[in-house]
Amino acid sequence: MSLAKTIVATGASSGLGFEAIKQLLATTQPYTLLLGARDVPRTQKAYNNLSFDTAKHNLSVLPLELSSLKNTRSFAQQVLAKLGRTKIDVLLLNAAISDGSEKSGPNGSKWCESYVVNHLAQHYLVHLLREKLVRDGARIVVVSSGAVRQVEDPSVLDDHMKAGSGIPGIKLYGETKFIQLLGAHWWRRELAGQCEVLAVSPGLIPGTGIGRGMDVKLLASMPDAKSVPEGAASILRAFERDDFPEDPEQIFLTSWGEWWPKDVYGKTLDVNLQNKWCPSKEEIEREDD
């Protein structure tokens, strides 16, 4: 029997993340899976209902509320304690919400919840796991979106990310995904030669709940729409692809399996922007105090 591969994942309690893990559980490759979820009992029950081979796969659902940096820190501590010397093969950052920024920030934060969940907390999670990720030579897979192309003027992001700024979900989602991609580039530079970092788009997937906060209905009849299993398969391709382009900035894998040309996401290549939106672990904790 081949050695088990270990996956740590956010956003695997429903939708694309759940389907991706479901597909892994159906393979002959053994997996150790540590999944973060807000509702642990419901998520554990959903996976138990799959009746997967528990002799082959080891699946644990751990509490993770990404709107809370304190809870994110607790999740990281549990992951490290549970794994010990077991190697992390892939860190999958898939969690995302699409709410607008009309409400106050979570736990008194000056930032809106979509920014905290879609970027800041998961960026913080990489900081918290960094030492182990580097030691293990792990791959970091960031689930991105073609919506990053919607950002024309990055200078508006300072105001738009603030709680109560009133930006609707359909606009804010693309903006938070833009910042998330800045983070992927930042970690690619930061961990060069130590970890592989890539972004992947699952495509337009009407069958998930991501459109709820946008107050829009995604239809299967839309051009280029894909099913949930197809979208999950796109994500899983990013776990194994090793045909990286020579240009280290070309890190975005499309849903049709090609590496996106850099000009498509050119604004996210601005190193100053990357540095601005990727605070250090200490800066994040200082602001959270």
Side-chain angles (χ1 to χ4, degrees), residues 97-102 112 114 118 145-151 157 160-161 166-178 204 210-218 222:
I97 61 175
S98 58
D99 296 351
S101 58
E102 297 87 357
C112 67
S114 284
N118 296 0
S145 168
V148 300
R149 295 170 293 180
Q150 298 172 3
V151 176
L157 298 175
H160 288 191
M161 293 306 114
I167 305 302
I170 192 168
K171 183 177 183 66
L172 193 67
Y173 179 74
E175 292 178 337
T176 59
K177 284 296 188 178
F178 180 93
L204 176 64
I210 196 64
R212 284 194 297 265
M214 303 182 196
D215 196 29
V216 296
K217 188 171 180 61
L218 302 177
M222 289 178 169

Side-chain angles (χ1 to χ4, degrees), residues 103-125:
K103 301 177 183 177
S104 56
N107 305 297
S109 174
K110 70 178 182 180
W111 303 111
C112 67
E113 186 172 11
S114 284
Y115 169 72
V116 175
V117 170
N118 296 0
H119 172 64
L120 186 62
Q122 295 183 88
H123 175 69
Y124 183 42
L125 179 60

Side-chain angles (χ1 to χ4, degrees), residues 100-287:
S101 58
E102 297 87 357
K103 301 177 183 177
S104 56
N107 305 297
S109 174
K110 70 178 182 180
W111 303 111
C112 67
E113 186 172 11
S114 284
Y115 169 72
V116 175
V117 170
N118 296 0
H119 172 64
L120 186 62
Q122 295 183 88
H123 175 69
Y124 183 42
L125 179 60
V126 181
H127 275 303
L128 294 167
L129 298 177
R130 176 177 182 162
E131 185 177 326
K132 181 165 181 57
L133 293 169
V134 169
R135 186 167 60 246
D136 295 345
R139 175 173 293 199
I140 302 171
V141 175
V142 178
V143 178
S144 188
S145 168
V148 300
R149 295 170 293 180
Q150 298 172 3
V151 176
E152 296 180 357
D153 179 9
S155 69
V156 304
L157 298 175
D158 293 86
D159 291 331
H160 288 191
M161 293 306 114
K162 290 177 182 174
S165 61
I167 305 302
I170 192 168
K171 183 177 183 66
L172 193 67
Y173 179 74
E175 292 178 337
T176 59
K177 284 296 188 178
F178 180 93
I179 295 173
Q180 178 202 45
L181 187 54
L182 290 173
H185 287 297
W186 190 87
W187 280 115
R188 192 270 310 165
R189 291 190 292 109
E190 189 76 7
L191 301 178
Q194 302 175 93
C195 294
E196 295 168 339
V197 182
L198 64 155
V200 60
S201 172
L204 176 64
I205 316 293
T208 71
I210 196 64
R212 284 194 297 265
M214 303 182 196
D215 196 29
V216 296
K217 188 171 180 61
L218 302 177
L219 302 175
S221 59
M222 289 178 169
D224 299 323
K226 298 179 183 296
S227 68
V228 172
E230 288 175 319
S234 295
I235 293 172
L236 293 181
R237 277 198 294 269
F239 285 24
E240 304 292 342
R241 289 286 290 267
D242 58 5
D243 59 332
F244 294 101
E246 291 185 9
D247 189 334
E249 292 184 327
Q250 201 173 354
I251 66 169
F252 201 119
L253 189 62
T254 67
S255 61
W256 54 92
E258 298 177 0
W259 296 99
W260 237 356
K262 290 194 309 181
D263 60 335
V264 178
Y265 51 89
K267 292 185 179 69
T268 66
L269 300 177
D270 185 323
V271 171
N272 290 328
L273 270 182
Q274 294 169 15
N275 293 338
K276 174 179 180 177
W277 288 101
C278 294
S280 69
K281 176 176 175 288
E282 293 71 25
E283 288 171 328
I284 293 172
E285 292 174 346
R286 191 160 53 243
E287 187 174 296

Side-chain angles (χ1 to χ4, degrees), residues 11-29:
S13 60
S14 62
L16 285 170
F18 182 85
E19 175 63 27
I21 300 302
K22 176 183 174 182
Q23 291 183 19
L24 290 180
L25 292 171
T27 66
T28 57
Q29 166 67 49

Side-chain angles (χ1 to χ4, degrees), residues 52-97:
F52 61 90
D53 187 350
T54 55
K56 181 190 300 179
H57 305 296
N58 185 343
L59 186 149
S60 300
V61 181
L62 304 175
L64 174 60
E65 175 51 79
L66 286 166
S67 64
S68 165
L69 296 181
K70 180 180 179 181
N71 190 271
T72 302
R73 189 159 58 244
S74 175
F75 171 74
Q77 291 167 348
Q78 290 182 69
V79 166
L80 294 173
K82 201 164 186 68
L83 288 180
R85 294 185 178 181
T86 301
K87 173 185 175 182
I88 296 177
D89 291 285
V90 176
L91 172 62
L92 172 63
L93 302 177
N94 178 61
I97 61 175

